[in-house]
Amino acid sequence: MNVKNTLTINGNEYHFQDGETILEVARRNHIDIPTLCYLKGTTPTGACRLCVVEVEKARSLMASCAMPAAKNMVVQTESKKVIQSRRTTLQLLLSSGNHNCLLCPKSGNCELQNLAYKYQVSGDMFVQRKSVYPMESVNPFIIRDFSKCILCGRCVQACKEVQVNNAIDIGYRGASTKIVTAGDRTLKDSDCVFCGECVQACPVGALVAKDARFKARLCETEPVRTTCTYCGVGCQINLHVKNNQVQMINGVEDAAPNYGSLCVKGRFGYDFINSPERLTTPMIKENGNFREASWDEALDLIAKNLTHIKETHSPNHIGVLTSARITNEENYVIQKFTRAVLKTNNIDHCARL
Ligand code: SF4
Ligand code: FES
C-alpha cells in the first residue's frame, strides 16, 4: 500500500490503494454506504445513485461505487444532502413499479425493502407507474416479473461479466426500458443457459426461482452449507431448507472455487432430493425383478459375486468405474480396494474420458 494515499471519510483518515473506489475504501473500513446496482467484481455502472456521497469541492453528489478515491479527498457519507438524495431516489424507485411486498417472494430479503425501512420511505410521494410488460414464466426455472424490476442492471452485469454469457442487456428507452434478450425473446428462446446467476444477483423480486415461489421465502429457510454433488468442481452451495425439505439453492458468495456462481444443475436440479421415487434402500434383482434389500445383504451378495469372478476367471475380468460425483477420499478408497483387494488395475474414472 502506498502510505501517502489517504482520504478523509466522515472526519477520519483512511489509506487507499491505487484504483480503489470510495465505496471500496468505506466498506473495507466498515463504513456503511447503501448500494443497489453495485455488484462486487464487476464494472460499476452508477445506475441507481443510492451510493451517492458528498465530496468536498465537487459540484454535485458523487456515486461512490464508481468514483476512484483520490489523495486528500474529503467525503461525507451521511450528510443531510446525501440522505435527502437517497430518500428521493428510493421514492422514485418505489413508485417505478409494483413494490407491494405482500406476495413478493423476495420479501424479507429484498434490498429495496430494507433500504425503504432504513430511510423511512413509504413510496407514496409519486404516482405508482404500471408495468407495461407482463410477467414471464414460460421456462422451468426463472420467473421474470418486470413490474418489480428497478433496472439496476445487476442481472446484466452478472450475465456479462461473471458468467460471460451475454444473454441479456438493457433494451428500449425511457419509460419502456426493459431487460431484454436478443430480439426481446423469452429466456427459453434466448442464449440463456439458466445458470441463475441473475437470480442470485437481483436485489428485488424481479427474478426469482420458479420452484420456490409460494413455497418458501429465503428468509423463512435455514441455510445448510455443503458441496454440490453434480461434478468434480466442488462448488460451494447453501441448501435453503424449510420443513426438512430443500426449497432453493444459492452459491456461497465468499468461497472458492465458485464464489457464488453455479450451473443450471447445481442451482435448480435439486427436486430429486425430495422425490418420493428416490431409492432409499439397496435393490437386488431376482428373476428379472428388483426387490428391496438391507445393506448387509446387498454387500454380501456383491462380495460373493466378485469373489466368484476372481476365482473362476481372473481379477482382470473385473473392471471398476468411479465417479466425479463422489469425493476425492471416496475415489481414493475405491482405487485402493480395486488394486489391493480385487487385485486388478482395471480402474477408471468418468472425468478422465
Ligand atoms: Fe436489477 Fe433484478 Fe431488474 Fe435485473 S431484473 S435490472 S437485477 S431489478
Ligand atoms: Fe453506486 Fe448504484 S451502487 S450508483
Side-chain angles (χ1 to χ4, degrees), residues 23-54:
L23 179 72
E24 285 165 339
V25 182
R27 290 211 164 154
R28 195 159 42 72
N29 291 289
H30 311 290
I31 300 164
D32 179 42
I33 297 178
T35 56
L36 274 176
C37 70
Y38 172 76
L39 186 64
K40 197 174 166 194
T42 63
T43 315
T45 58
C48 76
R49 317 308 288 178
L50 246 295
C51 69
V52 288
V53 292
E54 209 169 341

Side-chain angles (χ1 to χ4, degrees), residues 125-145:
M125 185 185 271
F126 304 107
V127 178
Q128 188 189 317
R129 199 171 68 85
K130 291 251 175 301
S131 174
V132 289
Y133 301 111
M135 187 187 286
E136 179 192 312
S137 60
V138 286
N139 70 74
F141 309 114
I142 300 173
I143 292 182
R144 301 167 87 195
D145 185 345

Side-chain angles (χ1 to χ4, degrees), residues 253-304:
E253 306 230 328
D254 53 0
N258 52 314
Y259 295 101
S261 297
L262 292 173
C263 70
V264 60
K265 291 186 289 179
R267 191 181 301 278
F268 296 115
Y270 57 86
D271 50 346
F272 72 92
I273 302 172
N274 303 327
S275 170
E277 288 174 14
R278 189 174 168 184
L279 291 184
T280 51
T281 62
M283 307 287 278
I284 290 178
K285 198 172 193 179
E286 277 175 357
N287 305 322
N289 293 317
F290 283 108
R291 69 165 173 83
E292 289 188 0
S294 69
W295 278 105
D296 281 347
E297 190 187 3
L299 290 171
D300 282 349
L301 182 68
I302 293 165
K304 194 174 126 208

Side-chain angles (χ1 to χ4, degrees), residues 36-37 99 106 143-146 148-158 168 170 178-179 197-207:
L36 274 176
C37 70
H99 298 296
K106 205 62 184 275
I143 292 182
R144 301 167 87 195
D145 185 345
F146 298 101
K148 296 193 179 303
C149 177
I150 55 170
L151 294 169
C152 67
R154 257 157 71 164
C155 53
V156 175
Q157 294 301 91
I168 50 174
I170 296 177
K178 179 193 183 193
I179 303 300
E197 189 82 24
C198 57
V199 177
Q200 190 158 333
C202 182
V204 294
L207 295 171

Side-chain angles (χ1 to χ4, degrees), residues 5 13 51 56 75 86 91 104 131 149 182 207 222 224 229 235-236 244 249 281 304 327 341-342:
N5 280 351
E13 201 167 74
C51 69
E56 205 172 85
V75 179
R86 286 181 192 155
Q91 289 281 8
C104 182
S131 174
C149 177
L207 295 171
E222 283 293 323
V224 179
T229 54
C235 289
Q236 293 302 294
N244 208 26
I249 293 181
T281 62
K304 194 174 126 208
T327 64
V341 179
L342 299 179

Side-chain angles (χ1 to χ4, degrees), residues 8 14 46 55 69 124 131 153 172 244 271-272 315 325 335 344:
T8 304
Y14 299 99
V55 177
D124 53 8
S131 174
Y172 305 112
N244 208 26
D271 50 346
F272 72 92
R325 294 178 64 169
Q335 72 80 30
T344 176

